[in-house]
Structure formats: C-alpha cells, structure tokens
Amino acid sequence: MRSKVLAVAVAAALGVTSFQVAAAPQKNTGKVTVSSSELAEMRAQIAALQAKVEELETKSDAQTDAQVQTSQSIADVQTKVATAKPSDDLSKRLDKLDKLVSNTKVGGTMFFDLTDIDHKEQVGTGPNRKVDGHGSVNGTGFDVKRFYLTVDHQFDDIWSANLTTDFNYQSTLSQTSLFVKKAYVQGKFDPLLQLRFGAADMPWIPFVEKWYGYRFLENTLTDRSIEGGRSGATATAGGVGAFGNSSDWGIHALGANTGDNSINYQLSVVNGRGYKNLTRSNNVDTEGRFGYSPIENMVIAVGGYQGKRGNDVENGAPTRDATRGDAMIAYRDKTFGFGGEYMTANNWDDVLRYAGTGPVPLSIKDKATGYSLWADWKFAEGFALFARYDKLDYKYYTVANLQRKLNDKYYNAGVSYDVLKNLRLALAYKHNQLDGPVDAYTYKTNEIGFWGMLSF
C-alpha cells in the first residue's frame, strides 16, 4: 500500500512538471507551444512510470499474501501442538514410568568413624602388652562400618517391597564386603497386621536401636560381641559373638498403633542363621516381642528367642535349643532420652550337644546375662550429651563341669552435633574391659575419636 501511494505521488509530480514546462511562456512570441516530439517523450515517461507502479503493486500484494499464509501456518502448528496427544502405546509407557518413579524411594545410611584405638592384654601378674588381637587393632584409622542402600517400592495400598544392601569396609583390615541385609515383600492389611516374606528386621535388636538412638556409635547389648574368647587361661579364641540377629530369612508378622496406651508386637519364624546365611535345617526358630506404651514417649517391652540357630541338619550332631529372654524400658522426647535393656541367654554358643565321641569340646553349655543403661540430653540446638554403661557375665562349662567365666564391662560418653538434618557427628570415648575366663587374664581397649552417621 505504501509503495502504491509513493508511485502515485511521483506520477503526480512528473505531471505537474510536464505541465509547467508546457505552460512556460515563450519569450519571443508570448505563446505556449509544445512540439510533438516533446509531448511523445513525456507520454513515454508517464507510461514507464505507470508500469513501475503496477510492478510495485504486484510485489506488495504477493508479499502481503505470503505474510498471511505464514501467519496462518504458524497458527495451525500451534493449534496442533496444543491439541496433540501421544499415541496409546507411548501414553501407557509414560504412565508406567511416572508410576514407577512416584512409588519408588531410594535412600541410604552410612556409619563411619575416625578414631585411635589402644588395646592392651595382661596374663597373670605379667606386664600389660600392647598387641593386636581379640577383635581390636591398635592405631589410628578411618572406617566405614556400615553403608546401607535401600530401595522401597509401593505396588498399591497394600503390597510393597524392600531391598537393602549392606557394604562394609575397614581400612585397618583392608576388608570389604557387600551383601543383602533385607529383601522382602510386605502386605500391610492394617496398622496392627503387616506380613513380611523374606529377609527382614527381627523383633528385638532393631526395635531397641530405635529407642537407643546411637547405633552408629555402638551396637546394642544383644548385638555387641565380646571381643575376648572362651579359650582357657589365655583366651586366645576370636571372641564370643552377638546374642541375636538384626535380620533373618523367614516370615514376619508385626503391627503397632500410636498414641497413649498403644501396643506394638512382632513375631518372626526364621531360618536361624541370620541374613548372611540361607542354610536350611530341620527346624525353624522363633523370636517375638510385645511392647506397651502407657504414654506416647515411653515403651515397656519384653521379648524372647527359641531355636537351634540353623544347626539341626541331616546327619549332624545332636542339638539343643538356644534360648534368650529380653526386657526393655525407655523414654524419649525432643530433649531427653534414657532407657535400660536386660537379656539372658542359654546355650547360645553350645547348640550342638556333646555325645561323648570325637574331640572334646572346650565348652558343652553356656549362659549369659547382662544389662545396658543409656541416657542423652539435648542441652542446646543441635548438641547433645550422651553416655552408656553395659555389664555382661558369660559362663561356660567344660566336659568335667568346670566353670569358666568372662566378665565384660563397657561404657562410652561424648557429645554429638547435628551438622545437618541427615548428618550427625559425635566426639566420644569408649572403654571395654574383659576379665577371664579365669582370674589370670585381663584385656582393656580404649578408643577415642569421631563417629558419624549420614542418611539420605
């Protein structure tokens, strides 16, 4: 449009100029005269100008049409994109992927430390000797005691699955291992009725750990090994192991409600060898727990274990039941936490019954009793003081019915700081002393340093 107006203006200007030339007075005659050749030339110029005007109009119209077509094409594409839908197959795949991501949670927990250990042993009235042995290694080192990687998937409102792997590394021993800690399918039919099939938490140890709160620093009483051993006057054996498993393969029924006057329970029927060993036997073991909370921040719980710990195998030695009884009372709120645990166990290490043939065993029966007391106080934002004391007496008997006794004392104390919501550090001191199995043997272990727990 603008080019057309310009062309008309130019034509008008040329017309006016021609008219002025044609009308210019002749000085000699006083008459206006235009020769035929001049008139023809002006007409030719006007014709040429008209042709250019028509050419410009044609180009302008073509450009306008192209702009309209382009705008319409863009609008059509935008409409198609806005209303486009994926194919049914792609839509189903996207829905499955979204459901998988939304219903799956991945997390992890790491226990680590940087400490210095001083371990000394004494036989009779001899000198204390700083040596490596009985589970303690002298020196300074960084350890990753545990690294749990957990995957939880929720199939629907009832069914879910859990896989937890456990990685262990100790720099002083140059030892690494990776194994399955938990692998189970769960059906949650009611808060008071859940069923787990596979390797899952046992009723007692994980329950006590929850109320204790400092598992990253030390195992609980039932789960803590005695680092000495039952091997005569010099205790040269590798030590007495824990008196329970934190996870085992089997069927687990559990439930709990919340608030004041609430209850919790768990009953597990398992193989008996722990999560690291899937060995079958002729009998299964059982462990149970029942807890009552008169107020929400407090619990009173009792539990027990009975079974052959996976030792009743075909063509094997005669066996007896290993038994354990447990009790705990604990309280925890935002500022204070304290509690106590008691345990007693019979024939935990002597499930195999001596029949009078073959090599004479060191021990034919055993008994252990012990207790643990702990407390912590959050005295400032993120800071807490904590302490714990354990005492355990372990007795075993020889074929001649001679009693050997191990007295184990343990305590720790320190201060913890919550660096982040999911990162806790503790500066602590730990002491462990074993006397026995006769009066002529003693060992002491002192450890100081930093312990930490990282979760995500």
Side-chain angles (χ1 to χ4, degrees):
M1 179 61 68
R2 287 179 296 178
S3 61
K4 183 175 182 180
V5 173
L6 179 61
V8 172
V10 172
L14 289 174
V16 171
T17 303
S18 299
F19 176 77
Q20 289 175 346
V21 172
Q26 300 295 323
K27 294 182 180 180
N28 295 329
T29 63
K31 296 181 180 180
V32 177
T33 59
V34 178
S35 65
S36 59
S37 61
E38 289 176 339
L39 182 60
E41 182 180 354
M42 286 188 292
R43 287 177 178 176
Q45 292 176 355
I46 291 172
L49 182 60
Q50 288 177 342
K52 290 183 178 181
V53 169
E54 291 176 357
E55 183 182 356
L56 288 173
E57 287 180 347
T58 302
K59 290 183 177 180
S60 177
D61 292 341
Q63 184 178 8
T64 301
D65 292 341
Q67 290 175 346
V68 171
Q69 292 177 0
T70 302
S71 299
Q72 185 62 43
S73 298
I74 292 174
D76 292 343
V77 171
Q78 290 175 340
T79 301
K80 290 181 180 179
V81 170
T83 59
K85 293 183 180 180
S87 65
D88 291 340
D89 184 57
L90 178 59
S91 179
K92 290 179 180 179
R93 292 183 180 181
L94 291 175
D95 289 342
K96 288 182 179 180
L97 179 60
D98 179 70
K99 186 176 181 180
L100 176 65
V101 173
S102 299
N103 296 335
T104 303
K105 297 180 179 179
V106 179
T109 301
M110 180 173 70
F111 300 157
F112 59 93
D113 65 68
L114 176 60
T115 66
D116 181 77
I117 297 178
D118 181 83
H119 175 74
K120 296 179 181 180
E121 300 182 9
Q122 181 180 18
V123 178
T125 58
N128 284 321
R129 297 182 303 119
K130 188 173 182 177
V131 297
D132 294 341
H134 307 120
S136 293
V137 180
N138 284 282
T140 301
F142 175 81
D143 297 329
V144 177
K145 295 292 183 68
R146 286 290 182 266
F147 197 125
Y148 303 110
L149 183 62
T150 302
V151 180
D152 279 302
H153 180 73
Q154 190 76 36
F155 296 104
D156 53 33
D157 293 339
I158 295 177
W159 295 100
S160 62
N162 176 283
L163 173 64
T164 301
T165 61
D166 189 356
F167 168 79
N168 161 276
Y169 172 72
Q170 291 181 302
S171 60
T172 52
L173 299 178
S174 299
Q175 171 184 307
T176 60
S177 59
L178 178 66
F179 44 86
V180 173
K181 177 70 179 287
K182 291 184 282 188
Y184 63 82
V185 175
Q186 174 179 278
K188 187 175 182 180
F189 308 98
D190 186 88
L192 285 172
L193 180 57
Q194 301 174 45
L195 294 178
R196 294 175 178 174
F197 304 90
D201 284 340
M202 290 292 281
W204 192 253
I205 292 175
F207 183 75
V208 178
E209 289 176 354
K210 173 185 174 183
W211 287 89
Y212 171 47
Y214 285 84
R215 166 62 183 86
F216 70 96
L217 184 73
E218 189 63 76
N219 304 63
T220 57
L221 173 70
T222 307
D223 196 28
R224 189 176 70 83
S225 301
I226 299 177
E227 294 181 286
R230 48 181 212 180
S231 181
T234 59
T236 55
V240 177
F243 294 92
N245 296 312
S246 58
S247 174
D248 205 344
W249 296 87
I251 302 175
H252 311 260
L254 61 153
N257 51 21
T258 59
D260 298 344
N261 293 311
S262 60
I263 63 170
N264 64 81
Y265 77 92
Q266 182 174 337
L267 178 64
S268 298
V269 180
V270 295
N271 290 349
R273 285 292 185 95
Y275 57 91
K276 295 182 181 179
N277 194 327
L278 274 168
T279 302
R280 293 174 177 265
S281 67
N282 293 324
N283 290 277
V284 292
D285 293 8
T286 57
E287 179 174 312
R289 181 201 77 244
F290 178 81
Y292 169 66
S293 295
I295 58 175
E296 188 173 11
N297 295 328
M298 179 181 179
V299 67
I300 303 170
V302 293
Y305 186 102
Q306 183 172 6
K308 301 180 184 299
R309 302 186 62 203
N311 287 284
D312 187 11
V313 297
E314 292 295 333
N315 302 318
T319 59
R320 58 163 67 92
D321 281 348
T323 61
R324 193 190 75 238
D326 306 293
M328 182 188 73
I329 181 170
Y331 175 89
R332 181 166 294 283
D333 60 24
K334 295 181 179 180
T335 304
F336 296 100
F338 56 87
E341 177 188 5
Y342 172 82
M343 63 144 285
T344 179
N346 288 283
N347 299 314
W348 195 262
D349 297 308
D350 291 303
V351 176
L352 300 179
R353 188 190 301 272
Y354 179 59
T357 59
V360 177
L362 175 67
S363 173
I364 59 171
K365 58 182 179 179
D366 63 79
K367 179 180 178 63
T369 58
Y371 65 87
S372 176
L373 303 173
W374 69 83
D376 58 84
W377 169 46
K378 295 182 180 179
F379 62 92
E381 184 67 28
F383 289 89
L385 293 173
F386 61 86
R388 170 178 160 186
Y389 178 81
D390 292 6
K391 188 176 188 305
L392 192 142
D393 295 328
Y394 181 87
K395 302 175 183 178
Y396 62 92
Y397 298 85
T398 67
V399 175
N401 205 35
L402 296 175
Q403 177 182 288
R404 298 286 185 261
K405 187 175 181 179
L406 297 170
N407 295 316
D408 184 78
K409 296 179 181 179
Y410 168 88
Y411 59 81
N412 67 47
V415 58
S416 66
Y417 174 58
D418 295 331
V419 181
L420 301 170
K421 182 180 179 180
N422 57 346
L423 175 60
R424 171 178 286 188
L425 296 178
L427 172 62
Y429 168 74
K430 301 199 299 188
H431 173 80
N432 194 189
Q433 178 174 330
L434 173 74
D435 297 313
V438 293
D439 295 336
Y441 183 82
T442 299
Y443 92 78
K444 297 178 181 180
T445 301
N446 296 298
E447 185 175 8
I448 188 170
F450 290 93
W451 285 260
M453 177 178 68
L454 173 67
S455 60
F456 58 91

